[in-house]
Amino acid sequence: MQTFKIDSPYNNLIKLKVSQGHFATISSHINHYIDLTTLKARASEAKAVAKSMSHDYIASTIVDTIVCLDNTDVIGAYLADALTESGIMSMNQHGTMYVVTPEINSLGQLTFRDDVVPMINNRHVLLLLPTATTGYTTEKVIECIKYYGGSIAGISAIFSAVDNVQGYDVHSIFHMNDIEGYASYNSHECPFCKAGMKLDGLVSAGGLSQIK
């Protein structure tokens, strides 16, 4: 696999590590795998990502809770601080933001435990994802948040191939246009599969599992 990096114009600590190949996600087949491991786990990079994301929101935005998907909790904590510093208000009793993660049950459904539900119900919720490739996962989380009584205050992702999901703008640091030739396919319409090309790896929330 050929691997290269794309620098963010906003901060030299934010670099997108991209590998070309044939990969399968839960909802699609893609021709580029985006490795966000260090951006999610390394404190200095996660803080830089959060700071960059905070610029997408104006002071009149209200954020009570940040819902983090796919191991973006570190970024979420820094994002709460960055939003507070930029003047974003919270309606919570203590004037601070909650940072939570939904659980996935055996049926693949997203849920919140009883002790977390009060942090969603009647709250202004910002959704944080590492990537928004097809919008499938984003739609599931939006529906989950609304089911538990939350309202969407914003959607932020490190990388996005979609601009809007269910009428909500997706704010991202990197866009699919930053990766030349990037494409996502329905598994039944994947040209690589039709050409008999085997998968290079499986992509999940935990990263890439190569197939040799």
Side-chain angles (χ1 to χ4, degrees):
M1 293 184 294
Q2 180 183 356
T3 300
F4 57 94
K5 292 184 178 181
I6 300 174
D7 294 333
S8 164
Y10 310 108
N11 191 307
N12 59 14
L13 286 176
I14 306 175
K15 299 179 185 296
L16 205 63
K17 184 179 179 182
V18 183
S19 297
Q20 288 182 292
H22 180 199
F23 310 98
T25 74
I26 191 172
S27 58
S28 65
H29 283 205
I30 51 178
N31 62 352
H32 290 81
Y33 164 63
I34 301 169
D35 184 357
L36 303 175
T37 305
T38 60
L39 290 179
K40 292 189 289 185
R42 187 175 290 160
S44 59
E45 295 179 24
K47 186 174 183 178
V49 168
K51 188 68 174 179
S52 180
M53 288 179 168
S54 70
H55 296 155
D56 291 320
Y57 301 95
I58 58 176
S60 59
T61 305
I62 298 173
V63 177
D64 301 314
T65 302
I66 300 175
V67 169
C68 303
L69 266 290
D70 298 344
N71 306 316
T72 56
D73 309 66
V74 178
I75 297 174
Y78 281 122
L79 181 56
D81 283 342
L83 290 172
T84 302
E85 290 174 2
S86 66
I88 301 296
M89 300 298 293
S90 166
M91 300 299 288
N92 293 331
Q93 181 179 357
H94 300 290
T96 189
M97 299 174 194
Y98 298 114
V99 180
V100 301
T101 301
E103 296 188 10
I104 303 177
N105 65 22
S106 58
L107 299 176
Q109 298 168 322
L110 296 169
T111 63
F112 290 102
R113 292 293 179 101
D114 292 349
D115 52 351
V116 177
V117 170
M119 303 177 191
I120 303 297
N121 188 39
N122 293 322
R123 308 290 181 183
H124 300 82
V125 179
L126 191 157
L127 174 55
L128 173 60
L129 309 103
T131 62
T133 305
T134 63
Y136 172 76
T137 300
T138 310
E139 287 184 347
K140 286 179 61 178
V141 187
I142 290 173
E143 291 169 1
C144 175
I145 291 169
K146 288 184 174 180
Y147 174 82
Y148 286 99
S151 60
I152 305 300
I155 302 174
S156 287
I158 301 174
F159 170 84
S160 180
V162 293
D163 298 317
N164 187 284
V165 177
Q166 291 192 5
Y168 300 101
D169 291 336
V170 178
H171 302 288
S172 62
I173 298 174
F174 298 96
H175 189 268
M176 63 177 293
N177 294 335
D178 296 317
I179 303 175
E180 185 177 355
Y182 179 90
S184 172
Y185 310 98
N186 181 294
S187 59
H188 300 295
E189 301 171 353
C190 176
F192 298 117
C193 292
K194 291 182 177 180
M197 294 177 61
K198 294 185 177 180
L199 288 167
D200 293 307
L202 303 176
V203 179
S204 68
L208 174 67
S209 298
Q210 292 190 43
I211 300 176
K212 299 179 179 180

